[in-house]
Amino acid sequence: MTAPLLELRDVCKSFGGIRVNDGVSFVVREGDRIALIGPNGAGKTTLVNVISGGLDVSQGSILLGGHDITDFSIPQRVDAGLIRTFQITRLFTNLTVAENVALAVMQKKGITRKFFSSWIDRPNIRDQWMQILGLLGIAHLAAARVSQLAYGQQRLLDLALGLALEPKVLILDEPAAGVPSDESGRIIEAIDRLPPKIAVMMIEHDMDLVFKFAKRVLVLANGRLIFEGDPSAVTHDSEVRRAYLGTYADGRHTS
Ligand SMILES: Nc1ncnc2c1ncn2[C@@H]1O[C@H](COP(=O)(O)OP(=O)(O)O)[C@@H](O)[C@H]1O
Ligand SMILES: [Mg+2]
């Protein structure tokens, strides 16, 4: 059997003696759609930072395609196909949507930015950014400057940049957080249309979105994984109900 795409083995992260991630182990396979849920302060964002390389582990290891990447930097992980998105600060606000995506496409291809203007319309670059914008439903925004975009559109562009880096594993930390409700549907639709081969892991509080998206749910509480299984089972798990779901699970049971 082939190695899982991503594997965490007994990952621990402590801050000043306090364990924020405590012995977390799980695997991610091609095409996975995983929701990581849990109460505020459970350690979800910390875990995502540890996976994406923003924080060092205190203990344990992380493997990508069977290779130990525990000591890899963020750029090394990105090169290897482990991409975390929705970090909007990466956007170049004076450039257009198409230019931003073209830059990410070029980064992946190892083309320097020096002759940027001559590259953006080359067929092999242009085909890629057009295809990505089309997939995410924002082709009509290609010529718009980032500074003119609504917040939800910026988040879609951020997703486009993630795709341009050709992820094997794509991690989304609360993709719809702070997005007005009239725009959040577009983000959910875009996530729905992501290429099926990519493994997608999403941190999300909105349980309706979790149930729409996830084929598998991981529940973190006090830094530990307390549940791993399919979405229909999560609402029935007594420990999860106690730690997190409470009234939401009660509501679903009666329906
Ligand atoms: N850099 C840090 N230094 C010290 N404590 C931190 C740091 N980052 C997070 N924490 C603590 O770790 C715990 C988990 O935080 P976090 O990972 O943000 O949880 P979640 O995303 O599940 O809400 C919290 O108690 C938080 O205060
Ligand atoms: Mg968080």
Side-chain angles (χ1 to χ4, degrees):
M1 213 174 119
T2 55
L5 265 183
L6 177 69
E7 181 173 5
L8 272 66
R9 289 188 187 160
D10 195 30
V11 166
C12 300
K13 179 64 188 175
S14 304
F15 294 113
I18 296 166
R19 277 212 174 172
V20 171
N21 293 150
D22 190 1
V24 176
S25 300
F26 62 87
V27 302
V28 175
R29 297 187 186 281
E30 195 175 284
D32 263 344
R33 292 291 181 272
I34 299 172
L36 176 65
I37 65 172
N40 271 329
K44 303 180 297 296
T45 297
T46 302
L47 187 64
V48 161
N49 284 331
V50 162
I51 296 171
S52 59
L55 291 169
D56 291 333
V57 301
S58 305
Q59 193 184 302
S61 51
I62 302 170
L63 293 88
L64 191 68
H67 300 284
D68 195 317
I69 60 156
T70 314
D71 296 326
F72 275 29
S73 65
I74 294 174
Q76 285 175 313
R77 289 176 207 220
V78 168
D79 277 350
L82 179 56
I83 315 279
R84 175 191 179 175
T85 189
F86 300 119
Q87 294 171 309
I88 277 173
T89 46
R90 294 183 299 154
L91 301 177
F92 295 99
T93 52
N94 289 328
L95 298 183
T96 68
V97 166
E99 286 166 342
N100 270 273
V101 182
L103 277 172
V105 169
M106 288 162 60
Q107 179 189 329
K108 181 66 190 178
K109 292 183 186 299
I111 301 166
T112 73
R113 238 179 258 163
K114 218 180 193 173
F115 305 111
F116 173 54
S117 57
S118 68
W119 277 97
I120 178 170
D121 281 321
R122 298 239 175 141
N124 63 331
I125 306 288
R126 189 184 170 84
D127 287 354
Q128 272 199 46
W129 62 253
M130 284 182 72
Q131 191 254 332
I132 291 168
L133 294 182
L135 180 78
L136 299 180
I138 50 173
H140 61 291
L141 297 174
R145 283 191 194 287
V146 171
S147 52
Q148 301 169 322
L149 298 181
Y151 187 67
Q153 293 171 331
Q154 288 191 28
R155 299 215 117 191
L156 287 171
L157 174 54
D158 202 67
L159 191 54
L161 296 188
L163 282 183
L165 297 172
E166 299 179 15
K168 295 191 176 90
V169 180
L170 186 63
I171 302 176
L172 318 174
D173 191 352
E174 300 192 48
V179 176
S181 53
D182 59 331
E183 285 189 88
S184 62
R186 294 240 159 74
I187 293 179
I188 296 161
E189 284 166 26
I191 291 169
D192 248 6
R193 286 199 298 264
L194 290 173
K197 262 183 80 159
I198 299 175
V200 186
M201 180 164 156
M202 186 200 286
I203 299 183
E204 187 50 63
H205 285 292
D206 181 335
M207 289 305 293
D208 291 319
L209 179 49
V210 166
F211 282 103
K212 245 182 244 164
F213 160 80
K215 303 269 190 313
R216 190 147 61 93
V217 178
L218 304 177
V219 184
L220 204 62
N222 293 317
R224 299 188 138 273
L225 267 192
I226 61 165
F227 176 89
E228 175 175 2
D230 65 77
S232 61
V234 74
T235 52
H236 297 277
D237 185 274
S238 58
E239 199 178 352
V240 175
R241 288 162 67 88
R242 207 164 37 245
Y244 184 51
L245 285 174
T247 51
Y248 186 91
D250 291 341
R252 281 182 72 87
H253 271 278
T254 55
S255 63

